Amino acid sequence: MSGVNDFVCKFATVNGSGSASANTMFAKTVFRMGIPVSPKNIFPSNIQGLPTWYEVRVSEKGYLARRDGIDLMVAMNPQTYREDVAEVVPGGWLLYDSSMPRQWPREDIEVLPIPIAAICARKWSDPRQRQLFKNMVYVGALSALIDMDLDVLKGVVADQLRGKEKLVAANLDAIALGRDYALTHFQCPLPIRLRRAEGARGKIMVTGNRAAALGAIYAGATVCTWYPITPSTSVAEAFEGYVKRLRTDSDGKTLAAVVQAEDELAAIGMAIGAGWNGARAFTATSGPGISLMSEFLGLAYFAEVPVVLFNVQRGGPSTGMPTRTQQSDIMACAYASHGDTKHVLLFPSDPNECFSLGAEAFDLAERLQTPVMVLSDLDIGMNEWMTEPFAWDDARVHDRGKVLDAAGLDKALDWGRYRDMDGDGIAYRTLPGAHPDKGAFFTRGTSHDSFARYTEDGRVNADNLRRIARKFETAAHLVPKPEVLTRDARSRLGVVYFGATQPAVLEALDDLEADGIRVNAMRIKAFPFSPEVKAFCDAHDRVFVVEQNRDAQMRALLMIEAGVDGDKLIAAVNFDGMPLTAAFVRSTIRTYMGPVKVAAE
C-alpha cells in the first residue's frame, strides 16, 4: 500500500484522557500543510472512561466524506484492540503502546510498537503528566512516520496553547521523544505520507455550531435562550463568547441577553416572548428538546411570532444516541405541535451554510412572522469541517418584514393585526411602544379574528387557518432554492440529498461516473419545497432519496407536500449514527438500478 495525501488515520483512545487536544493538533497540522482534511470525533456520552475514536481522512482531491477502512490505526485503548485491529485494511499499519507487549492476530498488516508509557515514565514523574503527554508522544511519532511538517506542527501547538508557554515547551518535548523513537526504530516515512499541497489554501476549519452562532450575531440577534443538551450546547456557548467581543458598548455594557433557562419549555417561551417584543431571538436544542418545545412552537405559529430555532440533530428516539448523528427530526420539525401546523425548515450542508442560512433564518422568521428552524446535525455541528471562508455583504439590510411604525399606524385605515392586506397571507404587525395609543393588540393560543379578538366562530377560525396556509405558500418562493447538478441531461436517474450527506453523495457521483454511470442530483436546502424540487423529481424516472434516518422522512415529505409519485422515490437510508460514506451511496444506487437505462457517451 502507498499513497501521498490520500489515506485515513484513526486514533483509538479513552474519553477524558486528553487525547482530543492532541488529535485536533494532528488534523490542523495536515490542514495547514495545505492538504484537505476531514476529522470525525466519535465519542461516548459520558465524561470519561469509555472508548472514543477520532478519524482523520486525508484527501488531496478534497473529498470530505468519511471513508470505510483504516490505513493507519493508532491503538491506545486495550479495551478496543480487537475491533481496532479488525478495521485496518490489508497492508495497513498499526501503531500501539508496546510498554505491555501484545500478540496481534493478523499477518497482513505492519505493527509499529512504541513503548509510549515507558517513555513518558522516564521523562515525567507526575502521573497526570504521563497520561496527557502520551498523546503528544504518538503525535511526534506520526510526524516522522508520515512526514508531517515539524515547523507547522510546532506552530499549531503554540496556537492551541497560547498563553500557556510552560505547556507548550512540555508538549514539544513529548513530540520530540516520539519523533526520535520513530526515526530510530522504523523506516520513515511510511509509504503513506504527507506532502505540502494547495487544496486547503484559503480555506478555514470550523464547527457548524460556532458558525451558526456567528450567523446569529451577523443577523442582529440580541437574545439567546437555551437549555444544555448535546450536541447543541456549543451554539449558545459560542454565541455568548461572540457577544462579549462584538455586542458591547464603549462602556463595556453587554448589548445582548444570553439566558440559560431551567428547561427547554422555558427556553423557547422566553425566545418567543423576545420575538414578540421586537428582538431577534433564538434558541438551540436537539431532538428531545423539539419534543418539549412543540406546544410553544404551535403558539408562535398561530400567534405569528418570529423566532429562530437551531436543531442540531442526534440519534433517537427518546434519549437515543446523544453523541451520534442522524437526520431524524424532519417530520417532527415540519409539523411540530398539534393541529394544522407547518414550519419553515432550512438544511445547511456544512458550517459555511450554518453561518449563511443561520443568518437568513432571522430574515425569513420576521418576514413570514413565524418560527424558522435550522436543521443541522451532530456531524456538522460538533466536528471541524474544512470550508470556504464566510462571506458577508456589509451593505446588507436586515429584513424586518411588515412592521408598522408610528407613522405607518397613523396612515393605516382600520388596521387589524391579522388582516391580510396584500394577499400573501402575511399581516402587518407592530412592536410594543411604537405608538402612544395605537397598535396595541391582545392575542393568545385560542382562535381569533383578523383584529386579534377572541372568537369561537368556526368559520372565522377556518378563514384564519387558510390565511396562514397562504403564508406558507408564499414561503415556498422566499426560501433558498435547491441546488441542481446536471451531470447528463439525458439521464433519467436522479438523487436527492440534503444536509451532511453532501460530501458522501458528491464523491459517490464521481465514483459512479468513473464507471460510466451518470446520475443527476438535487440538494434540498429548505422546506416548504420550491417548485424546482418537484420539477427535478418529475424529470427523472427513478430518484434515490439519501437521508440518515430509518423511516425515510424526507421521502415521505416529498410525497406529502410536493406530490411526487412514491413509486419513483427510492429510500437510501442509513441510521447507524455514523457520518455517511460514499461507498454506502454508491452501493445503494447500484443495487437498485435494475433495468434503468442511463445515457452513455
Side-chain angles (χ1 to χ4, degrees):
M1 176 182 296
S2 63
V4 177
N5 294 347
D6 185 16
F7 59 88
V8 176
C9 180
K10 185 171 184 177
F11 303 87
T13 57
V14 177
N15 204 33
S17 64
S19 60
S21 177
N23 298 340
T24 300
M25 291 180 191
F26 171 85
K28 288 185 175 180
T29 299
V30 178
F31 172 73
R32 291 192 187 182
M33 290 178 65
I35 308 165
V37 63
S38 179
K40 304 294 182 185
N41 191 15
I42 306 159
F43 60 101
S45 57
N46 76 326
I47 297 175
Q48 64 179 26
L50 290 182
T52 184
W53 294 270
Y54 191 86
E55 290 184 7
V56 180
R57 182 178 184 184
V58 178
S59 171
E60 190 160 358
K61 292 182 178 180
Y63 291 132
L64 301 180
R66 182 170 165 265
R67 199 205 74 186
D68 292 326
I70 306 303
D71 302 305
L72 173 58
M73 175 71 72
V74 180
M76 296 295 291
N77 184 5
Q79 290 179 301
T80 61
Y81 275 155
R82 184 179 297 276
E83 56 191 280
D84 295 334
V85 173
E87 283 193 74
V88 181
V89 299
W93 291 265
L94 176 75
L95 187 159
Y96 85 107
D97 184 355
S98 61
S99 299
M100 294 182 61
R102 296 179 179 274
Q103 297 295 320
W104 303 103
R106 291 183 59 177
E107 296 181 355
D108 60 344
I109 62 175
E110 184 175 345
V111 179
L112 305 170
I114 302 177
I116 297 176
I119 290 173
C120 291
R122 288 193 296 268
K123 177 68 175 180
W124 293 281
S125 58
D126 182 83
R128 181 58 177 165
Q129 288 183 318
R130 291 175 175 177
Q131 176 62 42
L132 292 175
F133 292 130
K134 282 168 59 176
N135 306 304
M136 298 309 296
V137 170
Y138 67 64
V139 171
L142 290 173
S143 74
L145 290 166
I146 60 174
D147 208 9
M148 297 169 68
D149 189 309
L150 190 57
D151 289 335
V152 174
L153 176 56
K154 289 178 179 179
V156 169
V157 173
D159 287 347
Q160 191 151 321
L161 299 174
R162 185 176 287 116
K164 304 176 182 178
E165 280 67 29
K166 290 184 179 180
L167 284 180
V168 171
N171 276 271
L172 293 180
D173 285 344
I175 288 173
L177 289 171
R179 182 179 177 85
D180 290 344
Y181 188 93
L183 289 170
T184 302
H185 294 84
F186 309 120
Q187 185 174 349
C188 298
L190 300 175
I192 55 169
R193 55 181 290 269
L194 301 175
R195 178 181 60 203
R196 279 187 172 273
E198 297 297 323
R201 298 301 180 195
K203 304 291 199 305
I204 62 173
M205 284 191 74
V206 65
T207 67
N209 284 357
R210 290 196 67 84
L214 192 60
I217 286 285
Y218 271 73
T222 56
V223 177
C224 168
T225 59
W226 64 294
Y227 183 77
I229 182 172
T230 300
S232 73
T233 296
S234 55
V235 175
E237 291 175 337
F239 182 80
E240 185 172 20
Y242 290 131
V243 161
K244 292 176 181 178
R245 291 168 49 195
L246 305 172
R247 284 283 186 272
T248 56
D249 61 16
S250 57
D251 296 327
K253 180 182 178 182
T254 300
L255 302 178
V258 181
V259 183
Q260 182 176 334
E262 61 265 33
D263 54 34
E264 285 91 349
L265 281 77
I268 187 67
M270 286 189 283
I272 292 169
W276 176 85
N277 202 46
R280 287 197 152 186
F282 75 95
T283 188
T285 191
S286 190
I290 293 294
S291 298
L292 293 170
M293 294 178 179
S294 290
E295 185 174 0
F296 260 132
L297 285 168
L299 171 63
Y301 173 85
F302 196 46
E304 299 178 66
V305 179
V307 67
V308 171
L309 189 156
F310 291 96
N311 176 12
V312 188
Q313 299 170 91
R314 71 188 205 185
S318 189
T319 303
M321 295 189 295
T323 59
R324 296 291 185 269
T325 194
Q326 276 193 11
Q327 298 173 316
S328 52
D329 298 344
I330 300 167
M331 299 296 278
C333 289
Y335 303 116
S337 197
H338 53 278
D340 293 318
T341 55
K342 290 182 185 177
H343 297 293
V344 176
L345 311 179
L346 302 178
F347 304 106
S349 64
D350 59 22
N352 194 292
E353 286 193 340
C354 286
F355 172 78
S356 60
L357 294 185
E360 187 170 354
F362 289 88
D363 280 355
L364 287 169
E366 292 203 302
R367 187 168 180 182
L368 295 165
Q369 300 174 28
T370 195
V372 173
M373 287 178 262
V374 182
L375 269 64
S376 175
D377 59 42
L378 184 145
D379 183 19
I380 297 175
M382 295 193 72
N383 284 320
E384 298 267 0
W385 283 55
M386 186 187 78
T387 184
E388 295 290 338
F390 303 155
W392 185 262
D393 183 358
D394 288 334
R396 175 174 170 173
V397 177
H398 300 319
D399 187 347
R400 302 306 302 268
K402 297 181 178 181
V403 180
L404 291 177
D405 57 13
L409 281 166
D410 283 333
K411 293 178 182 178
L413 297 176
D414 204 21
W415 172 78
R417 169 63 183 96
Y418 298 113
R419 292 188 68 190
D420 181 6
M421 307 297 292
D422 306 319
D424 59 2
I426 306 169
Y428 286 84
R429 67 181 177 126
T430 65
L431 303 181
H435 195 286
D437 50 29
K438 291 183 178 181
F441 67 93
F442 179 79
T443 191
R444 47 190 158 186
T446 47
S447 55
H448 46 266
D449 65 11
S450 60
F451 292 91
R453 297 175 300 205
Y454 172 72
T455 179
E456 291 193 13
D457 187 326
R459 293 167 298 179
V460 172
N461 188 58
D463 286 342
N464 195 34
L465 289 173
R466 277 191 284 267
R467 177 187 62 78
I468 295 175
R470 286 201 304 277
K471 181 166 65 173
F472 197 73
E473 294 168 2
T474 298
H477 300 280
L478 297 178
V479 298
K481 297 183 183 300
E483 183 179 273
V484 177
L485 301 175
T486 303
R487 298 231 168 182
D488 188 333
R490 299 166 296 174
S491 176
R492 305 297 293 173
L493 196 63
V495 59
V496 169
Y497 63 102
F498 62 98
T501 63
Q502 175 173 255
V505 170
L506 295 182
E507 184 179 351
L509 293 179
D510 285 349
D511 292 342
L512 289 166
E513 187 164 345
D515 293 338
I517 303 171
R518 293 186 179 88
V519 183
N520 299 322
M522 176 180 67
R523 178 166 69 90
I524 293 175
K525 292 185 177 182
F527 173 77
F529 301 126
S530 59
E532 291 84 355
V533 171
K534 188 173 190 305
F536 177 89
C537 295
D538 289 345
H540 295 85
D541 295 334
R542 186 168 297 178
V543 178
F544 298 88
V545 185
V546 179
E547 50 189 312
Q548 292 184 277
N549 60 71
R550 183 195 67 184
D551 296 335
Q553 295 180 30
M554 183 62 77
R555 177 180 179 274
L557 209 58
L558 287 168
M559 293 166 60
I560 297 168
E561 297 293 341
V564 179
D565 182 2
D567 289 339
K568 70 164 55 180
L569 297 178
I570 300 171
V573 296
N574 179 278
F575 47 96
D576 63 4
M578 300 295 287
L580 200 64
T581 66
F584 168 82
V585 178
R586 183 176 63 249
S587 64
T588 300
I589 291 176
R590 279 188 167 279
T591 299
Y592 283 91
M593 277 181 57
V596 172
K597 294 182 179 180
V598 183
E601 289 282 0

